[in-house]
Amino acid sequence: MSSLISLVVPVFNEAVSIRRNLAIILAAVDDESDIELIAVDDGSTDATSLELARAARDDPRIRPLYFTRNFGKEAAIHAGLVASKGACAIVLDADLQHPPALIPEMLRHWRSGFAVVECVKVDRGDESWLARVYAQSFYWMFRHFAGMDLRNHSDYKLLDRAVVELYHALPERRRFFRGLIHWAGYPTARIPFEVAERELGASRWSRLRLLRYAIDNLTSFSSLPLHLITALGFMTLALGVLIGFNSLYQKFMGVALDGFTTVNLLLIIIGGSLMIALGIIGHYLGRLYDEIKGRPPYLLKPPPREDA
Ligand code: UDP
Ligand code: MG
């Protein structure tokens, strides 16, 4: 059996730090004789692809892949895993927020028989109050709607070859890496870790992007109107509650026409709820539509030319 270990690193607009960071990541696995580092350039708009091509020229362990455009971190992880050939694959961020120093410990757990080793955040690092609320509501919903407790989970994971193969084989296109690995249910070891500060640049995720990711791990453009219906429903409902209270008030003050209050309340509340229901159904329809279209989750392009 091969002893090759694959590292999978999604990279988006990290040109200033990528070479240094890849060197630090590789230094953490210096003891291992057989390493490949698959760096997936997720359609960066800065010089990341050039930097990766240079890094690969200088260090044959580095194998870059280049997306034609930004397909998102999930797609980058997916592509990296598909390209990996190792007996195990370790997925980690390019910004060193996932401390590479943990890799030897992950490998020890794997060698002792765990198919999955996941690094779990003990704190969420330097995050804003709002970001925490976002994350907490997302995990709350995940726990209650999907029955999966993913609190403080991260994408920093080691997967045995068998799990990587399973990941290839899944027919789903739009993926939620953390959720799917948890769902797969392989024997899992957990390592707590503190999220390091990002040294250079800011998070590549905007609030809105995180929200969309949370609602549906990347929502396609075509189902957006369906989400708007849901939003409209909530707004109608909120308005309905306000008007409803007003109607009730008028009723008790004796200034309302008979029956008018009830009609008002019913119309508005039922209308609002119907909109929400339609929106939710529409959302699933949108997901279904995306899967049916069967477009590939990412597209690769050739390496950049030095003179380009
Ligand atoms: N990333 C990516 N595609 C994107 C956004 C981010 O491949 O569209 C990569 C990014 O380069 C980094 C990792 O995903 O290696 C995590 O991104 P980031 O540090 O911006 O997220 P955060 O640490 O805030 O979760
Ligand atoms: Mg980061």
Side-chain angles (χ1 to χ4, degrees):
M1 196 179 117
S2 106
S3 60
L4 178 70
I5 289 159
S6 306
L7 303 172
V8 171
V9 184
V11 189
F12 180 55
N13 286 355
E14 311 273 7
V16 278
S17 56
I18 191 63
R19 296 198 66 180
R20 169 180 159 271
N21 290 359
L22 291 187
I24 293 174
I25 292 171
L26 283 168
V29 286
D30 243 2
D31 297 349
E32 302 294 334
S33 54
D34 215 3
I35 291 281
E36 63 170 2
L37 189 156
I38 298 166
V40 185
D41 171 26
D42 184 11
S44 300
T45 50
D46 62 3
T48 297
S49 59
L50 270 179
E51 291 294 330
L52 284 178
R54 284 182 196 140
R57 207 185 44 212
D58 296 348
D59 188 332
R61 291 174 296 177
I62 298 177
R63 284 179 54 199
L65 296 176
Y66 308 92
F67 281 0
T68 51
R69 63 165 171 86
N70 183 242
F71 281 94
K73 185 184 180 186
E74 286 287 343
I77 292 175
H78 187 175
L81 287 175
V82 168
S84 74
K85 299 199 171 70
C88 73
I90 299 172
V91 177
L92 76 168
D93 282 2
D95 58 6
L96 302 181
Q97 287 195 288
H98 294 161
L102 295 180
I103 295 176
E105 194 182 339
M106 296 170 92
L107 290 172
R108 268 200 301 282
H109 282 296
W110 170 59
R111 287 182 174 129
S112 76
F114 288 100
V116 174
V117 184
E118 49 187 31
C119 298
V120 183
K121 303 171 198 167
V122 284
D123 75 313
R124 301 193 52 90
D126 185 21
E127 266 185 349
S128 73
W129 171 86
L130 199 63
R132 266 165 228 267
V133 172
Y134 264 172
Q136 256 151 31
S137 344
F138 171 67
Y139 289 124
W140 186 90
M141 286 197 274
F142 225 85
R143 212 159 69 246
H144 288 88
F145 300 171
M148 280 189 200
D149 189 355
L150 297 181
R151 270 175 296 178
N152 291 335
H153 280 213
S154 72
D155 290 332
Y156 192 9
K157 293 188 198 305
L158 176 150
L159 311 178
D160 182 76
R161 185 79 227 154
V163 188
V164 175
E165 299 284 348
L166 164 90
Y167 208 71
H168 294 195
L170 286 175
E172 261 170 85
R173 284 178 179 82
R174 307 248 240 110
R175 295 174 178 221
F176 182 38
F177 179 60
R178 265 171 265 184
L180 283 172
I181 297 303
H182 186 86
W183 164 86
Y186 284 87
T188 301
R190 294 200 169 76
I191 302 178
F193 79 105
E194 293 201 16
V195 180
E197 306 283 303
R198 200 181 223 282
E199 285 178 34
L200 289 161
S203 170
R204 302 304 184 238
W205 298 77
S206 69
R207 285 264 151 70
L208 190 66
R209 197 167 171 198
L210 267 178
L211 183 65
R212 277 175 45 192
Y213 183 69
I215 292 174
D216 212 333
N217 326 315
L218 305 171
T219 303
S220 101
F221 49 92
S222 59
S223 51
L224 192 66
L226 301 168
H227 301 307
L228 293 182
I229 297 178
T230 317
L232 192 69
F234 276 110
M235 284 181 324
T236 323
L237 192 59
L239 194 71
V241 171
L242 283 180
I243 298 176
F245 273 121
N246 185 43
S247 301
L248 281 175
Y249 175 76
Q250 286 178 350
K251 169 87 176 165
F252 290 126
M253 300 308 281
V255 289
L257 294 173
D258 266 350
F260 185 63
T261 319
T262 330
V263 172
N264 248 356
L265 284 174
L266 282 180
L267 247 168
I268 287 158
I269 292 173
I270 292 177
S273 318
L274 274 177
M275 287 282 201
I276 295 175
L278 267 180
I280 292 171
I281 295 171
H283 181 82
Y284 283 99
L285 204 67
R287 294 274 308 182
L288 215 67
Y289 182 47
D290 276 342
E291 293 291 336
I292 291 284
K293 278 187 288 193
R295 290 182 191 154
Y298 52 83
L299 293 172
L300 298 174
K301 67 177 179 188
R305 296 212 330 254
E306 260 314 318
D307 53 15

